[in-house]
Amino acid sequence: ATEQPARVCSEAVTDSDMVSPQPLEVRERLVDLPQQVSLRKTASCTAIYALVLLVTGMMLHPTLKLFYSAGHQNGQAKNTLSVVDAAVSAATLLIFRGLRQRLWRSTAETIAWRVVTRSFAPAVGVFGAICLATLANYESLWTFLMLAPLEFVFVMLLSCLWQKTKPNVGQLTASFLVLSGSALLTSSKLWKQANNAAHAPADGWVVAVVAAVAFRLDQALTTIFIRDACVELRGHGLEDILDISLCKMFWVFILCMPYALATEGFTGWSIIFRARGVALTYLLLSAAITCIFQLANVGLNSHLRSVPSVIVMQMQPLMQISAALLLSGSSLHSKLQLKWDDSWLGVSGSSLLLGGGLCCVVSSLLGARRAHA
């Protein structure tokens, strides 16, 4: 009788020894596991946003050109089409938001007023791009192309001066490669447009240069504004990519409506409402592409800082080359006007873009690992 408790106690001690604390290395791995999952999830979302942004960006302008060419007067409704695209995008995002709120219950019933007001500045940038692109292309396409690399330069300067960011060595290397590649590709385009350089702009070279520079600066400011909005709203727990995109497109619609009426009157609306068949298909397709593009743009800027984000946007020629090779010989290849520059300038520029993109990816991954460490 006296030996039984001792044996039970001994067995209890043995059982407790079987569940002894795990080694320190194993416990550290278990602690790091949620961080690794979060890092992989963030990287996956960023890659998806980047891919969608590049694909839709490649398709948008050819689709608009197809709509303009589908009717002999469709080119007179460019600004009105911008109104339609913005309205359809905002309505689609609003419907999707309602469905998400009903099905998953993870969405607030109303959009916070802070999100509405903070989305105004990016919308002004989009509206400014619509106005300035039309003016700059009208004045001189050659000048517009020549000053294309300025957008990247403006983003780098504004990121350092406005957002107080300090790029690391990897980002500086990637920026140099991308800027060099963009300059070579621009030089190739200018070489092909050499005949247009001899034609003086309609309102003089000063207006043409100012319009082109203003457009590039506006594009850079839009990138900065979107990133700032995402960061500020994240601090208030309001960083919802869908809500920011919805409000941004709503403001674009409000700003573009009077501009379209002032420049095209009701003629543009009559052209839109008369669209049938192929023209209507291209019209709806342009609205769908615009919606997805703007949503992906906000998503990418919410995950990346301004300089890496604009580096991703500079990968557009590489996406066009991939699509041209993939769709070679198909009707879609000709409709999307897919082509790539096989001159030594084009090949060199594309190679530098690829190197800069890879360098940016490696630098971003290493920076994310250090941030989660």
Side-chain angles (χ1 to χ4, degrees), residues 67-100:
F67 172 75
Y68 300 149
S69 62
H72 66 282
Q73 290 185 331
N74 287 3
Q76 301 177 15
K78 294 181 178 180
N79 297 329
T80 306
L81 181 59
S82 298
V83 178
V84 175
D85 287 345
V88 173
S89 298
T92 302
L93 294 173
L94 182 62
I95 293 173
F96 183 76
R97 186 183 190 278
L99 292 175
R100 191 180 70 170

Side-chain angles (χ1 to χ4, degrees), residues 76-78 80-81 260 264-274:
Q76 301 177 15
K78 294 181 178 180
T80 306
L81 181 59
E264 297 172 350
F266 291 99
T267 303
W269 287 106
S270 65
I271 294 173
I272 294 295
F273 286 123
R274 287 201 309 265

Side-chain angles (χ1 to χ4, degrees), residues 260-316:
L261 289 174
T263 55
E264 297 172 350
F266 291 99
T267 303
W269 287 106
S270 65
I271 294 173
I272 294 295
F273 286 123
R274 287 201 309 265
R276 296 291 185 275
V278 177
L280 180 60
T281 302
Y282 290 142
L283 189 152
L284 296 177
L285 185 59
S286 70
I289 294 174
T290 299
C291 177
I292 299 172
F293 176 83
Q294 296 295 340
L295 181 65
N297 190 18
V298 175
L300 183 67
N301 281 277
S302 69
H303 284 73
L304 293 179
R305 293 184 177 181
S306 298
V307 172
S309 177
V310 78
I311 287 178
V312 171
M313 290 295 296
Q314 297 297 319
M315 298 296 111
Q316 197 70 250

Side-chain angles (χ1 to χ4, degrees), residues 323-341:
L325 295 175
L326 184 64
L327 301 174
S328 179
S330 64
S331 58
L332 188 59
H333 180 276
S334 59
K335 287 184 177 181
L336 292 178
Q337 302 177 2
L338 297 175
K339 53 186 178 180
W340 68 291
D341 190 355

Side-chain angles (χ1 to χ4, degrees), residues 9 15 29 105 116 121 320 359:
C9 181
D15 292 339
R29 290 179 181 176
R105 308 287 183 181
V116 178
Q320 187 170 353
C359 185

Side-chain angles (χ1 to χ4, degrees), residues 36-59:
Q36 294 176 2
V37 173
S38 176
L39 179 60
R40 291 175 182 176
K41 182 179 178 180
T42 302
S44 300
C45 291
T46 304
I48 292 173
Y49 283 129
L51 180 61
V52 172
L53 186 68
L54 292 175
V55 171
T56 52
M58 178 189 65
M59 296 175 60

Side-chain angles (χ1 to χ4, degrees), residues 130-326:
I130 294 173
C131 301
L132 292 170
T134 303
L135 176 61
N137 280 279
Y138 167 75
E139 291 294 339
S140 174
L141 177 61
W142 189 86
T143 306
F144 182 76
L145 294 174
M146 180 184 69
L147 298 176
L150 276 182
E151 178 182 342
F152 189 81
V153 176
F154 284 144
V155 170
M156 292 185 63
L157 293 176
L158 291 172
S159 177
C160 295
L161 299 177
W162 188 320
Q163 297 175 332
K164 307 299 182 182
T165 60
K166 296 180 179 180
N168 54 37
V169 177
Q171 291 178 345
L172 288 175
T173 304
S175 300
F176 175 77
L177 292 175
V178 170
L179 184 60
S180 301
S182 178
L184 288 179
L185 290 176
T186 301
S187 301
S188 179
K189 292 180 181 179
L190 292 176
W191 184 266
K192 297 178 181 179
Q193 296 283 338
N195 294 331
N196 295 332
H199 301 287
D203 299 308
W205 287 106
V206 175
V207 176
V209 171
V210 170
V213 172
F215 173 79
R216 301 303 172 184
L217 179 60
D218 175 84
Q219 289 285 84
L221 285 172
T222 303
T223 301
I224 298 295
F225 289 155
I226 294 176
R227 175 63 183 175
D228 285 353
C230 292
V231 172
E232 180 180 335
L233 294 174
R234 181 190 303 164
H236 294 274
L238 299 172
E239 191 203 16
D240 192 308
I241 295 171
L242 184 61
D243 286 353
I244 298 173
S245 304
L246 194 162
C247 294
K248 183 181 73 169
M249 296 313 296
F250 171 77
W251 283 120
V252 172
F253 164 72
I254 295 296
L255 294 171
C256 286
M257 176 67 80
Y259 175 70
L261 289 174
T263 55
E264 297 172 350
F266 291 99
T267 303
W269 287 106
S270 65
I271 294 173
I272 294 295
F273 286 123
R274 287 201 309 265
R276 296 291 185 275
V278 177
L280 180 60
T281 302
Y282 290 142
L283 189 152
L284 296 177
L285 185 59
S286 70
I289 294 174
T290 299
C291 177
I292 299 172
F293 176 83
Q294 296 295 340
L295 181 65
N297 190 18
V298 175
L300 183 67
N301 281 277
S302 69
H303 284 73
L304 293 179
R305 293 184 177 181
S306 298
V307 172
S309 177
V310 78
I311 287 178
V312 171
M313 290 295 296
Q314 297 297 319
M315 298 296 111
Q316 197 70 250
L318 300 181
M319 178 59 65
Q320 187 170 353
I321 292 173
S322 302
L325 295 175
L326 184 64

